[in-house]
């Protein structure tokens, strides 16, 4: 049995690096490691911190916290509202895990979003998912697993189950 990787000390600045299925660079989030609990590892982004991907950069309008659960198949971000218009944003992932001293994962396109306005709760980016699962050749067993996961996470968020 291998031991889990050593984590940085709480308060350590790190970068959470996302890539796409083909290995291309995707979002990179400047954040701080907050620690871990029974749900997994937590990261924070104070107001004004940077997130960027090729061709696009944003700075947070308010603080948020992000959870990387041990399963590695999703990453949950909870935003302070206001100023954010959505409270929960879940990236469906593949191999979201620690790579050395920093977290990384493959963004699998599908997202579960809970907005604080009339948009409510939904699974986002189904069009991107449909396009990329063909273009990147996602294995059918992964497609089935992650589609079921997105539906289950939408249900769990709707029921306000912890940690959602």
């Amino acid at each position: 049995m291998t031991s889990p990787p050593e984590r940085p000390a709480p308060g350590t600045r790190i970068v959470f690096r996302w890539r796409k299925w083909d290995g291309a660079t995707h979002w990179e989030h400047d954040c701080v490691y907050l620690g871990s609990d029974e749900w997994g590892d937590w990261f924070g982004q104070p107001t004004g911190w940077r997130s960027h991907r090729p061709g696009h950069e944003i700075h947070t309008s308010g603080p948020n916290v992000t959870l990387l659960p041990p399963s590695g198949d999703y990453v949950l971000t909870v935003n302070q509202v206001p100023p954010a218009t959505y409270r929960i944003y879940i990236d469906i992932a593949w191999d979201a895990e620690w790579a050395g001293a920093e977290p990384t994962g493959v963004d699998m396109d599908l997202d579960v979003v809970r907005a604080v306005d009339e948009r409510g709760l939904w699974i986002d980016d189904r069009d991107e998912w449909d396009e990329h699962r063909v273009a990147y050749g996602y294995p059918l067993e992964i497609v089935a697993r992650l589609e079921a996961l997105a539906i289950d996470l939408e249900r769990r968020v709707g029921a306000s189950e912890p940690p959602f």
Side-chain angles (χ1 to χ4, degrees):
M1 175 182 225
T2 60
S3 60
E6 190 170 320
R7 301 294 191 255
T12 301
R13 287 186 74 151
I14 60 171
V15 177
F16 196 121
R17 298 179 195 280
W18 287 97
R19 63 191 184 286
K20 296 305 271 183
W21 185 263
D22 66 354
T25 300
H26 195 45
W27 283 104
E28 295 185 358
H29 305 286
D30 294 334
C31 51
V32 61
Y33 181 65
L34 300 174
S36 64
D37 62 14
E38 70 270 21
W39 303 109
D41 291 295
W42 292 91
F43 309 88
Q45 275 193 308
T47 301
W49 280 33
R50 179 178 182 235
S51 291
H52 63 96
R53 67 177 185 204
H56 190 66
E57 179 173 321
I58 62 171
H59 293 267
T60 57
S61 59
N64 66 65
V65 294
T66 296
L67 169 66
L68 172 58
S71 66
D73 54 9
Y74 71 89
V75 175
L76 161 69
T77 299
V78 180
N79 295 288
Q80 178 179 323
V81 290
T85 59
Y86 55 91
R87 177 77 172 155
I88 291 177
Y89 195 96
I90 302 173
D91 289 286
I92 304 301
W94 191 254
D95 287 338
E97 62 187 3
W98 287 89
E102 293 183 327
T104 185
V106 176
D107 181 297
M108 296 301 291
D109 311 316
L110 289 175
D111 306 299
V112 177
V113 181
R114 171 172 258 165
V116 295
D117 58 20
E118 67 281 349
R119 293 174 295 167
L121 174 63
W122 75 96
I123 297 174
D124 198 20
D125 292 334
R126 289 180 190 261
D127 56 339
E128 186 178 357
W129 168 254
D130 288 340
E131 177 186 327
H132 286 172
R133 67 187 175 93
V134 173
Y136 294 145
Y138 298 162
L140 293 178
E141 63 275 6
I142 292 175
V143 169
R145 177 178 165 191
L146 297 182
E147 286 177 349
L149 175 65
I151 292 166
D152 183 56
L153 287 169
E154 182 184 38
R155 180 197 59 76
R156 292 170 61 196
V157 169
S160 297
E161 291 181 13
F164 310 108

